[in-house]
C-alpha cells in the first residue's frame, strides 16, 4: 500500500491456513486452493503456490496427501513447480531435506504428464521452454527427487536432461538409445519417437542463425516451437515474429504486444486504409472467449496489459511503439468479458471510491496499475451490471494529513461520536417530506444546537457521473484527482451523507486501499445507524480493499457486511451472491 511495502510471503502471513489445518479442515483448504487455481480466481499464482506448500509441509497426513495429489492441477508448468519447491524450503527452514512424501510428490508431477492430452511430448515442450527458474533446473529437481521410471518416453527425457555418469556425450547417448528403440514394434507411433523428434527439433532451433530458416521451422512445426526456443539474436527479426504470432498462446501474445508493435507488425496501412494480417489475427485472439478461458487469463493481467500498451513504451524506455487503437479496444473488450457474467440484482447501489493520495500506490506488485485504477475498473463493471447506481468520491486525505489534523482527530471522544451520530439522525428525521430514492436531497437545515457537526464538518462528497456506456479510459479520467475538486471525507462519509439526505440504498460498496482515515464514526457503525434511521434493515455493506494491511473495515459478526480483498475475477459473482442473500 502507500504506507506499507509489499511483504515477502512467510508462514506468518498465512496463520489462518495453519489454523484451519489444525482444526481438521486441511482437505477443505486444499480443495479451495485447487478450485482457485483451476478457475483462475487469483491475480497471481504466488499465494496459491505458497498456500499449497504450507499444506504439503504440514504435520497432518491427510492434508499432506491431498496437497501432493493436487500438485499437478495447481502447478501447470515447470515455472510453478520450481516456485513451489522454493516455497517448500522457505516454510520449513529447519528441515530443508527432501523426505519421502516430498520426493514422491515432485516425481509424480512429471509422471502425471502421461495422463494429459499430449502426454510426455508436452512435458518435453515445457521442459525445454522453461529450463530453469528460481534457482532450480530440471537436472537439480531430478537429482533431489530421485526420479525413477519404467516408462520409456519419460526415461529418455530424464536421461536427456540428466545423463548418467560416464555418458556425458549426449549426442552419442541419443543415437544409441534411438537405435535400440527402433527395434521395438510400434516405435513410429510411440510417445518415445515423438519425444525424440521434439528434442531434435529444439536442438536444431537452438543452433539456427538464419531468420528465414527459423521462420520456416516455426511455421512447419507449429505449435511445437515457442519464442523461448528461438535464439536471442533472431528475436529482433520481424519475419520470425510474424511466424510466432500465428500460433502463439494468448498469454504470451499479451505479454509481447509491445515487442510486436515495436517491429511495426500491428500498424494499419493508412494509404489503403487496410489492416495488416497480424493486426487482424491479434485482435481476433484477444476477443476470443474460448482462448482466454483455456489460457486462464485473469482480468488483472488484461488490465495491466491495457495500461502498459497504452503508454507506448516499456518501463525501462528501451522499447517504443505506436499505439494501435484497435489493439487497445480489443484489450478493453477482453477485460470486460474476462469477468464472470452476473445478472442484475435490481438493488439500489451507492458506490464510494476512495480518491485519497494513498490510492496512487501500485498494487499487485506492478508499476502500471494503481489502487485507484483498480477501484475505477471494478466500479465501472458494477455500473454496467446494475441499473440503479450512484457513484461518489471520498478521501481520507491521509496522504496530506498534517500533525495538527491527526491530533485533532485523535482527541475526538466517544461522546463526540455519539453526538455526531445523533445530529445526523436528527437532521434526517426532521424532514419527513423527503422524496425516496433515487435520492432527492433534503432542504438545507440549520445547525442543531449543542452538537458539534463532526460528521460533515469540512467534508465533501463529489458525484462521479459514470454511465454504462463509458469505457475504461473514460472512467479512469473521471476518477482522476486532476478532474475532481478537492475532496475531504472519511470512508463513513458516504453513509452519513445518505442518512442526512434520506437517500435510500440497498447496497453500499466502498472501494479503498485499506488506508483511509477512520474519521469520527467507524464504517461498520455508520451502516448500522443507516439501517435504523431509514428502516432498510437489510442494507448491506461491501468493502473492496484493493490492498490489505491486516485489518478489516467491517464487523465480522454482521452477516450483512462483506470484505473483498484483492482483485478477484470472481468478485462480481461473489458480490451478486452476497447481495441476493445466497451467501
Amino acid at each position: 500500500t502507500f504506507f506499507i511495502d509489499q511483504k515477502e510471503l512467510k508462514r506468518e502471513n498465512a496463520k489462518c491456513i495453519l489454523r484451519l489445518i489444525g482444526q481438521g479442515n486441511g482437505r477443505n483448504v486444499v480443495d479451495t486452493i485447487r478450485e482457485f487455481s483451476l478457475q483462475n480466481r487469483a491475480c497471481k499464482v504466488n499465494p496459491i503456490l505458497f498456500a499449497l506448500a504450507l499444506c504439503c509441509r504440514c504435520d497432518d497426513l491427510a492434508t499432506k496427501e491431498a496437497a501432493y495429489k493436487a500438485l499437478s492441477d495447481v502447478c501447470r508448468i515447470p515455472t510453478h513447480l520450481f516456485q513451489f519447491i522454493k516455497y517448500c524450503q522457505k516454510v520449513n527452514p529447519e528441515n530443508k531435506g527432501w523426505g519421502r512424501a516430498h520426493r514422491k510428490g515432485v516425481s509424480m508431477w512429471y509422471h502425471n504428464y502421461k495422463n494429459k492430452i499430449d502426454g510426455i511430448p508436452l512435458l518435453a515442450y515445457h521442459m525445454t521452454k522453461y529450463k530453469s527458474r528460481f534457482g532450480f533446473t530440471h537436472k537439480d529437481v531430478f537429482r533431489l527427487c530421485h526420479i525413477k521410471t519404467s516408462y520409456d518416453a519419460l526415461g529418455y527425457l530424464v536421461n536427456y536432461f540428466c545423463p548418467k555418469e560416464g555418458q556425458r556425450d549426449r549426442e552419442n547417448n541419443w543415437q544409441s538409445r534411438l537405435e535400440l528403440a527402433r527395434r521395438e514394434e510400434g516405435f513410429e507411433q510411440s510417445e518415445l519417437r515423438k519425444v525424440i523428434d521434439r528434442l531434435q527439433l529444439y536442438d536444431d532451433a537452438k543452433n539456427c542463425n538464419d531468420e528465414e530458416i527459423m521462420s520456416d521451422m516455426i511455421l512447419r512445426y507449429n505449435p511445437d516451437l515457442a519464442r523461448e526456443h528461438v535464439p536471442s539474436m533472431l528475436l529482433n527479426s520481424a519475419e520470425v515474429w510474424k511466424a510466432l504470432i500465428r500460433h502463439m498462446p494468448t498469454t504470451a501474445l499479451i505479454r509481447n504486444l509491445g515487442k510486436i508493435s515495436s517491429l511495426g507488425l500491428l500498424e494499419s496501412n493508412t494509404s489503403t486504409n487496410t489492416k495488416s494480417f497480424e493486426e487482424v489475427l491479434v485482435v481476433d485472439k484477444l476477443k476470443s472467449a474460448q482462448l482466454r478461458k483455456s489460457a486462464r487469463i485473469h482480468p488483472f493481467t488484461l488490465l495491466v496489459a491495457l495500461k502498459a500498451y497504452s503508454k507506448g513504451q516499456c518501463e525501462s524506455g528501451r522499447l517504443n511503439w505506436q499505439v494501435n487503437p484497435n489493439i487497445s479496444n480489443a484489450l478493453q473488450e477482453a477485460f470486460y468479458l474476462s469477468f464472470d457474467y452476473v445478472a442484475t440484482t435490481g438493488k439500489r447501489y451507492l458506490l464510494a471510491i476512495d480518491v485519497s493520495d494513498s490510492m496512487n500506490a501500485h498494487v499487485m506488485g506492478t508499476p502500471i496499475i494503481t489502487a485507484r485504477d483498480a477501484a475505477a475498473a471494478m466500479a465501472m463493471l458494477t455500473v454496467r451490471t446494475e441499473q440503479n447506481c450512484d457513484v461518489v468520491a471520498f478521501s481520507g486525505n491521509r496522504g496530506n494529513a498534517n500533525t495538527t489534523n491527526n491530533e485533532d482527530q485523535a482527541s475526538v471522544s466517544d461522546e463526540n461520536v455519539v453526538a455526531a451520530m445523533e445530529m445526523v439522525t436528527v437532521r434526517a428525521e426532521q424532514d419527513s417530506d423527503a422524496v425516496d430514492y433515487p435520492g432527492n436531497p433534503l432542504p438545507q437545515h440549520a445547525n442543531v444546537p449543542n452538537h458539534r457537526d463532526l460528521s460533515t464538518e469540512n467534508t465533501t462528497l463529489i458525484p462521479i457521473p459514470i454511465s454504462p456506456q463509458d469505457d475504461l479510459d473514460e472512467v479512469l479520467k473521471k476518477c482522476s484527482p486532476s478532474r475532481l475538486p478537492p475532496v475531504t471525507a472519511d470512508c463513513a462519509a458516504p453513509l452519513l451523507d445518505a442518512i442526512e439526505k434520506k437517500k435510500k440504498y440497498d447496497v453500499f460498496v466502498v472501494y479503498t486501499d485499506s488506508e483511509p482515515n477512520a474519521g469520527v464514526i467507524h464504517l461498520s457503525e455508520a451502516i448500522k445507524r443507516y439501517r435504523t434511521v431509514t428502516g432498510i434493515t437489510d442494507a448491506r455493506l461491501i468493502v473492496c480493499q484493493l490492498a490489505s494491511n491486516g485489518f478489516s473495515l467491517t464487523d465480522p459478526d454482521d452477516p450483512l457486511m462483506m470484505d473483498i480483498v484483492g482483485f478477484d475475477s470472481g468478485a462480481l459473482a461473489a458480490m451478486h451472491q452476497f447481495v441476493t442473500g445466497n451467501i
Side-chain angles (χ1 to χ4, degrees), residues 331-359:
L331 284 170
Q332 283 199 41
E333 184 175 339
F335 171 73
Y336 304 149
L337 298 176
S338 61
F339 285 82
D340 295 333
Y341 173 76
V342 179
T344 181
T345 63
K347 303 292 185 179
R348 301 165 293 190
Y349 280 74
L350 177 64
L351 310 180
I353 301 177
D354 187 351
V355 294
S356 56
D357 293 341
S358 62
M359 290 286 284

Side-chain angles (χ1 to χ4, degrees), residues 22 24 31 55 79 132 193 215 220 254 257 304 315 381 418 420-421 431 468 494-495 503 517 521 537 543:
D31 291 341
C55 294
T79 300
S132 63
R193 174 57 188 266
S215 300
R220 183 187 305 174
I254 292 172
L257 279 176
V304 170
E315 285 299 310
L381 291 166
V418 174
M421 291 303 303
D431 188 3
L495 284 81
K503 293 183 177 180
N517 276 349
I521 297 171
T537 56
V543 180

Side-chain angles (χ1 to χ4, degrees), residues 242-262:
K242 283 182 180 180
L244 286 171
I245 290 173
R246 298 199 176 204
H247 302 281
M248 181 174 284
T250 309
T251 303
L253 181 65
I254 292 172
R255 190 168 55 245
N256 289 286
L257 279 176
K259 178 65 176 180
I260 297 170
S261 298
S262 70

